[in-house]
Amino acid sequence: MSRFLFTFGFFWIIWIGLTSTFNPQEVIAGAVVSLIIASFSYKTFTDYGLKFLTPKKIYYIVKYLIVFLIALVKANFDVARRVVDPKLPINPGIVEYTTQLTDNAAKVILADSITLTPGTLTVDIIGDKLYIHWIDVVSKDPAVIYREIGENFENVLKEIFQ
Amino acid sequence: MVLEIIGYIFVTVGVLFLFLGALGIFRMPDVFSRLQAGTKATTLGGLGTIIGIGFLQPEWFWKLLIIAVFIAISNPISSHALARGSYKKGLRPYMKEGGIDAYAAVQEAEEEKE
C-alpha cells in the first residue's frame, strides 16, 4: 500500500508540475491517470514506498541535495579550469573504490553522484567495488581515494538508507 | 525586471559552460576524459540555461524544474553506459607514466571466463 501511494503521489506531482496549473479539471484528470498507471506499475517502480517520509530522513535528503549541488558546481568549475588551461593538467587513470553501503539503490545514487562531481566518472559497479575513471589521480592509497571521492556522500547516504 | 536580469545571468553562465564542454571534447586525449568534459560541463550548462529560462518565463518554471531534474538523473547514467561500453569494446584510457587502471584486471578475468 505504501509503495502504491508513493508511486501515485510521484506521478501526480509530475503531472501537476508539467501542466503548471491548479485548475480542478487538470488536477482530477491527473489523479485518475496517475491512479491507473500506479495500479499496475507500483510493483516495479519502487521497493521502498513511503519509508523515507520521516522528519529525520527528509532532513538528510535535503542535506544530501545541498552537498550534491555544491559538489556539482565545484565539479563544473574544476573541469572548466582544466579545459582552458593551455598545459591541460590531467593525470587520468581508473581506480578501485570500496563502498561501505549495502543497499542497491544507495549504491546507484552514490555512483551517479560520483559521476557528477569533480573529475570522476563511474565505469562499473561489481559488488561493493566501484571502478572510477579519475581525471587527476592524486593517490593510489584506498583510504585517500575513499576520502577524496565519496566520503561526504556516503556519510549522508548511510543515514538515509538505514 | 530583476527576474529578467537573474534569468539572463543564468542563461549566460549556462551557455558559457556548454561552450567549455564542447572545447573539452575537442582538447581531451581519450574517450573517458572526453566523457568527463562532455558530461560535467553540460550538466551545469543545461541546468543553467533551463533555470534561466524559468526566470524569464515564470509560468514555465515548474515544468522546466522537472526537466532539469530529469537531466540531472539521466546524464550520469548515460555517461556511465558510454564509458562501460567503450571499455568493453576494447578502448583503454590514456594514462601518463605510472598511471593506474584497476578495471583492467576485472576485464581480463571476465574475458578468460568466456
Side-chain angles (χ1 to χ4, degrees), chain A residues 39-63:
Chain A
S39 64
F40 62 80
S41 69
Y42 74 96
K43 275 178 196 148
T44 49
F45 189 76
T46 171
D47 283 337
Y48 301 97
L50 297 173
K51 212 174 88 184
F52 298 123
L53 276 184
T54 62
K56 189 174 153 243
K57 301 226 158 159
I58 289 175
Y59 165 76
Y60 278 110
I61 289 171
V62 171
K63 190 174 166 191

Side-chain angles (χ1 to χ4, degrees), chain A residues 15-73:
Chain A
W15 177 287
I16 291 172
L18 285 178
T19 53
S20 304
T21 167
F22 287 102
N23 184 332
Q25 278 186 10
E26 287 286 2
V27 174
I28 292 167
V32 172
V33 173
S34 310
L35 208 73
I36 295 167
I37 296 174
S39 64
F40 62 80
S41 69
Y42 74 96
K43 275 178 196 148
T44 49
F45 189 76
T46 171
D47 283 337
Y48 301 97
L50 297 173
K51 212 174 88 184
F52 298 123
L53 276 184
T54 62
K56 189 174 153 243
K57 301 226 158 159
I58 289 175
Y59 165 76
Y60 278 110
I61 289 171
V62 171
K63 190 174 166 191
Y64 186 79
L65 286 178
I66 292 169
V67 171
F68 172 72
L69 280 178
I70 292 171
L72 176 67
V73 173

